[in-house]
Amino acid sequence: MYHVLLGRIAPLDGIGPEQLTIDALVRRVREGGFKEVVMATNPTIEGDGTALCISNRWPDCRFGLRVGSRNHHWQRVGVCQ
């Protein structure tokens, strides 16, 4: 499955979770019977906040792998089972 969120949560730009397709993603995964979902977001504060928002709506979501960003800081990639 491939899913596009259509952006990232950016409160300063007036973009909240309602403008993204987070609910559709969670619904598709629950109905699809997937064993694992790898979530990759931009290596920014907004990307990390978007991943956190998704994990809060997904009770059995856990963060796993971390990858380096362009600023050489570590950012999250969520791994949800």
Side-chain angles (χ1 to χ4, degrees):
M1 176 186 82
Y2 187 79
H3 186 90
V4 179
L5 293 174
L6 302 177
R8 81 281 187 251
I9 296 173
L12 296 178
D13 295 330
I15 302 170
E18 306 81 29
Q19 284 81 33
L20 305 180
T21 61
I22 294 172
D23 291 333
L25 169 64
V26 173
R27 184 175 51 253
R28 286 179 70 193
V29 171
R30 285 184 180 153
E31 293 172 358
F34 297 97
K35 292 183 180 179
E36 181 177 273
V37 173
V38 177
M39 179 173 44
T41 58
N42 289 337
T44 62
I45 291 173
E46 290 94 351
D48 204 31
T50 302
L52 181 62
C53 178
I54 293 169
S55 71
N56 287 339
R57 293 178 185 212
W58 206 333
D60 53 350
C61 181
R62 301 174 214 60
F63 280 104
L65 306 173
R66 298 174 77 78
V67 296
S69 72
R70 63 178 178 263
N71 295 328
H72 304 290
H73 296 296
W74 292 92
Q75 298 292 331
R76 294 179 198 219
V77 173
V79 177
C80 306
Q81 295 180 333

